[in-house]
Every structure is written in structure tokens, then in C-alpha cells.
């Protein structure tokens, strides 16, 4: 598709204008008709939308932003939903349906906003148990029942319980575990660029440092992109899905108009309705604490997000924003290879802590890479 940006006019601009109004990001038009113009207020609204959705915040509507906008306009009940093999329906209404099924105890998998076979199965199971026509179509009657019921699952959705069980069964050793490391941006997309330092290159450097350490412990580390390419978020997710990865780790650094903004933050899959990947949350928490304890960076905490790459990955997925390039202190840290080694070590220890299931009570920040190697070796001999 053609990119839409400031100054554009036409039906596509009118369409996205309408969606932004529906989402409350733009005021309703004041009635003097005519096609909408991509003016400063539209650009501002697009940026706000991109920020909410974890898209690149450039105020330009490219394919990813356009798809997210067209998904966002659908509310549950606007249309009938069903599984079409050749052209699956996607949208925020599908996402809401999946969340509702999970709340009611039906295993629709991780909500990804795409009506696939697993969503159909879960819906049919629901319909059968509630004596509805089990056609797998979410029409008015099914929707009414879905809305009337109160959630019967508390404290754990099946898809997330399965994730937890998988981690428990995997055992404490790192050897043999497969992780996809996802350096953000790349190729023509440089990410944040400040004083000639590009996020894409920093993310790549982090990825290589983490990869080296993982391989040394016997883990299988795969990188989601080449040094000079930028796959779409969906492709990064399907790369990890096809590899059957145990974990997915996305690496970014942040920037802000205010040079004061600084610190480290981590993100895992979750939504405002309380649907959260517990394993993702645990890993994000370990990662956050280990990095903060080892670097004295400002703690911007971990947060649930339903960003594309977190939604579409089928394994626990975490994203780290390791400091602000736009902040002088953080930038000095990021430019120091020693700092990048410390972060890489923190990542390894966080993954290790996840698989130790809280069995190791060494204080945060004190577990070293040598400890990890020793652990792997002694366990290997003892096995
Ligand atoms: Zn980024």
C-alpha cells in the first residue's frame, strides 16, 4: 500500500480519520463535510495510536499501522465471526471474543486477534455446553450467552497454565533450551537515532553478546533477523513459532523528546482485562530486577502490553527497552561495551531464574555468568 502522511487527502485518509474518531483519539467532525485531510491533528492522533499499540511512532500510516487501525475499528457484535481457512478474520472484536472464551474456561490459545482453528474449537465447545447451535459462528445468540455468563476461571487461563507447566517440566538446566533473540528494527529502519547512534545497531550488538553467552551454556540461540534486514513484527513472531522456541526476547532502546526521560523497562503479553501470560510476566520481572540491580539504571518497571510481536508469538515473550538514547546518562551507558556485557549477563541470569522456579535464593544481581556455567557443568556430570 501507499504510505499516508501529513498533507494527504482522499478516501483512505477519510477512513483512518473515522477510525481515530471511533477510538476517541480525534474529536468527531463538526459537520462541514468534505474529505478529511491528513493534518497536524490527524498526525498527532496517529502517533498516539502507534504508541498505544507498540508500533513505530512516526505519525505515518504504513502497512502495519493501517492493519492495526482497520483491526481496531471492530467491536464485538459489529459482525458475525467465523473461521475462514483462506482468509481468516482479524480484528479487535476477535481479540475480545478470544479473551471472553478464555475467561469462561475455553482454550482459545493466546489471544492474537485472528479467528483461527483453535478459536473455532473453543467457540464450538462453548456452544455445545450451553446448548447453542455448535456451528462455530459467533452470531447474535452466541454473543448474548457469552455476555450473560460470569467468568468461571480465576487465577489462571488454560493457555497460561500450560505455559507454566511447560517451564516446570523443562527443568532447571539451560542446555537444550531454544530462545529467539529479536533485535529491534534493522536495515532501513534505524529505530531511534541520536548523535549518529542508531537503536538498530545497539540492538544487534546486544543480541550478539546474549547469543554468545547462551551458546556457551548449551542453549540454542536464534536471531530473528540479519545484521541489515528488518522483518515485519509478524514475520519475527512466525520465525519464533516455526522454530518452536521456548522463549522470545525482543531488544530495543528507547528515546523521548524530553532528555530527562531515562531508565529501563520490560514488557510481556497482557491486556487491561487481566489476561496475562504469567511466565512472560515472571521473566519480565526477573529481567527488570537483574538489570536494575546490576546497572543502577532508573527502574521503569515491567508492564503488560498487547503489541503485535507479544500477541503473535506462541511462547512466552518479553521485550526490554534498555535505556533512553535521548538521555545523556543512558546514552553514555549504552555506548560502553562493558555495560552491554552487564545487560547480556542479566538476561542470562533472568532466564536461568525463570527455569529455577524460585529454587535459588541468591540475591538479585549477585548470580554471575560463571555460576551459570558451573551449574550447567555440575548438573551435566551428575546426570
Ligand atoms: Zn525500538
Amino acid at each position: 500500500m501507499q504510505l499516508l502522511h501529513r498533507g494527504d487527502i482522499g478516501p483512505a485518509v477519510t477512513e483512518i480519520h473515522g477510525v481515530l474518531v471511533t477510538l476517541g483519539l480525534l474529536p468527531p467532525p463538526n459537520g462541514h463535510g468534505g474529505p478529511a485531510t491528513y493534518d497536524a491533528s490527524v498526525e498527532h492522533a496517529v502517533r498516539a495510536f502507534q504508541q498505544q499499540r507498540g508500533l513505530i511512532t512516526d505519525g505515518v500510516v504504513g502497512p502495519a499501522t493501517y492493519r492495526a487501525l482497520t483491526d481496531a475499528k471492530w467491536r464485538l457484535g459489529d459482525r458475525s465471526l467465523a473461521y475462514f481457512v483462506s482468509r481468516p478474520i482479524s480484528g479487535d472484536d476477535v481479540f475480545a471474543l478470544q479473551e471472553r472464551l478464555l475467561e469462561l474456561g475455553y482454550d482459545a490459545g493466546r489471544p492474537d486477534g485472528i479467528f483461527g482453528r483453535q478459536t473455532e474449537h473453543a467457540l464450538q465447545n462453548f456452544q455445545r455446553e450451553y446448548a447453542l447451535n455448535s456451528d462455530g459462528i459467533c452470531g447474535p445468540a452466541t454473543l448474548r450467552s457469552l455476555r450473560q455468563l460470569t467468568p468461571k476461571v480465576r487465577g489462571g487461563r488454560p493457555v497460561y497454565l500450560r505455559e507454566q507447566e511447560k517451564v516446570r517440566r523443562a527443568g532447571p538446566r539451560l542446555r537444550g533450551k531454544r530462545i529467539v533473540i529479536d533485535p529491534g528494527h534493522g536495515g532501513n529502519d534505524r529505530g531511534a537515532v541520536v548523535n549518529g547512534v542508531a537503536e538498530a545497531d545497539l540492538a544487534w550488538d546486544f543480541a550478539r553478546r546474549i547469543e554468545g553467552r547462551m551458546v556457551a551454556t548449551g542453549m540454542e540461540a536464534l536471531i530473528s533477523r540479519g545484521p541489515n534486514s528488518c522483518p515485519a513484527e509478524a514475520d519475527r513472531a512466525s520465525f519464533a513459532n516455526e522454530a518452536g522456541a521456548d522463549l522470545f526476547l525482543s531488544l530495543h532502546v528507547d528515546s523521548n523528546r524530553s532528555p530527562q526521560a531515562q531508565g529501563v523497562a520490560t514488557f510481556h503479553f497482557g491486556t487491561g482485562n487481566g489476561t496475562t501470560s504469567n511466565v512472560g510476566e515472571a521473566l519480565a520481572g526477573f529481567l527488570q530486577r537483574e538489570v536494575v540491580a546490576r546497572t543502577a539504571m532508573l527502574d521503569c518497571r515491567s508492564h503488560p502490553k498487547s503489541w503485535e510481536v507479544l500477541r503473535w508469538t506462541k511462547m512466552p515473550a518479553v521485550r526490554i527497552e534498555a535505556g533512553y538514547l535521548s538521555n545523556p546518562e543512558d546514552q553514555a551507558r549504552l555506548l560502553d561495551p562493558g555495560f552491554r556485557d552487564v545487560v547480556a549477563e542479566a538476561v542470562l541470569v533472568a532466564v536461568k531464574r525463570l527455569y529455577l522456579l524460585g529454587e535459588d535464593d541468591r540475591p538479585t544481581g549477585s548470580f554471575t555468568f560463571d555460576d551459570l556455567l558451573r551449574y550447567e557443568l555440575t548438573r551435566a556430570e551428575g546426570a
Side-chain angles (χ1 to χ4, degrees):
M1 69 167 276
Q2 232 180 323
L3 299 180
L4 299 172
H5 34 59
R6 200 146 160 191
D8 286 345
I9 192 161
V13 176
T14 307
E15 185 192 357
I16 64 160
H17 192 277
V19 178
L20 292 167
V21 170
T22 312
L23 296 175
L25 293 169
L26 275 179
N30 50 16
H32 52 65
T37 310
Y38 205 119
D39 57 14
S41 66
V42 172
E43 187 181 293
H44 186 79
V46 167
R47 280 178 184 278
F49 176 78
Q50 288 171 324
Q51 196 135 40
Q52 279 176 12
R53 299 273 162 154
L55 298 158
I56 297 161
T57 312
D58 56 7
V60 174
V61 178
T65 300
Y66 184 75
R67 190 179 49 228
L69 278 166
T70 40
D71 278 358
K73 74 181 175 202
W74 296 106
R75 293 282 158 272
L76 193 54
D78 286 355
R79 55 180 173 174
S80 287
L81 298 171
Y83 177 43
F84 296 108
V85 185
S86 56
R87 198 175 46 83
I89 299 181
S90 77
D92 283 16
D93 50 350
V94 178
F95 193 85
L97 169 65
Q98 291 168 328
E99 281 211 297
R100 190 73 188 124
L101 286 166
L102 284 171
E103 278 171 7
L104 295 169
Y106 297 91
D107 191 358
R110 183 184 302 198
D112 59 3
I114 301 165
F115 199 116
R117 195 178 297 281
Q118 204 176 350
T119 309
E120 184 186 45
H121 269 172
L123 185 62
Q124 282 171 329
N125 285 337
F126 165 77
Q127 289 173 322
R128 252 191 300 277
E129 283 186 30
Y130 287 89
L132 295 153
N133 182 13
S134 61
D135 54 6
I137 299 170
C138 182
T142 299
L143 198 57
R144 231 179 350 263
S145 303
L146 279 168
R147 284 187 167 142
Q148 277 162 2
L149 295 162
T150 41
K152 64 176 173 186
V153 180
R154 296 265 179 224
R157 318 272 195 253
V159 56
Y160 306 123
L161 293 176
R162 214 165 44 222
E163 281 182 0
Q164 274 170 305
E165 179 55 20
K166 208 174 164 205
V167 168
R168 202 188 57 74
R169 268 203 319 262
R173 289 180 61 201
L174 292 176
R175 177 167 301 279
K177 296 193 167 75
R178 185 176 293 171
I179 187 161
V180 166
I181 307 169
D182 173 47
H185 313 276
N188 291 329
D189 172 13
R190 313 302 300 141
V193 182
V194 179
N195 301 333
V197 184
E199 178 185 3
D201 299 330
L202 281 173
W204 178 257
D205 179 275
F206 272 125
R208 294 307 303 270
R209 283 169 206 268
I210 295 166
E211 179 196 29
R213 283 168 177 76
M214 287 189 163
V215 169
T217 65
M219 287 183 84
E220 235 184 298
L222 306 170
I223 301 189
S224 64
R225 67 162 169 94
N228 296 307
S229 65
C230 185
E233 298 287 280
D235 295 332
R236 295 170 193 250
S238 47
F239 173 79
N241 293 343
E242 276 156 32
D246 295 299
L247 298 174
F248 182 90
L249 174 68
S250 192
L251 308 165
H252 287 253
V253 299
D254 219 331
S255 77
N256 194 285
R257 248 176 261 181
S258 159
Q260 261 91 48
Q262 68 176 125
V264 59
T266 50
F267 304 90
H268 58 88
F269 177 78
T271 66
N273 306 1
T275 306
T276 287
S277 156
N278 309 69
V279 175
E281 187 176 6
L283 180 58
F286 287 134
L287 188 52
Q288 183 69 23
R289 288 196 287 278
E290 290 293 340
V291 172
V292 168
R294 284 156 202 262
T295 61
M297 290 176 92
L298 188 69
D299 185 354
C300 302
R301 316 243 295 267
S302 23
H303 309 269
K305 289 281 177 193
S306 57
W307 293 336
E308 285 186 348
V309 88
L310 302 180
R311 252 160 69 182
W312 290 340
T313 38
K314 296 196 190 305
M315 69 293 309
V318 164
R319 169 160 154 178
I320 181 168
E321 298 272 353
Y324 282 78
L325 260 184
S326 45
N327 172 264
E329 268 178 66
D330 277 4
Q331 191 189 67
R333 286 187 176 107
L334 287 163
L335 288 177
D336 171 13
F339 168 84
R340 301 199 292 270
D341 278 334
V342 169
V343 172
E345 184 160 317
V347 168
L348 262 290
V349 170
V351 171
K352 183 66 180 177
R353 282 194 185 277
L354 178 74
Y355 285 108
L356 280 172
L357 307 167
E359 262 174 40
D360 193 286
D361 52 4
R362 255 171 284 197
T364 301
S366 66
F367 214 152
T368 68
F369 183 59
D370 286 341
D371 294 336
L372 291 185
L373 288 177
R374 211 169 304 123
Y375 187 101
E376 293 296 317
L377 279 173
T378 52
R379 286 300 168 110
E381 283 160 8

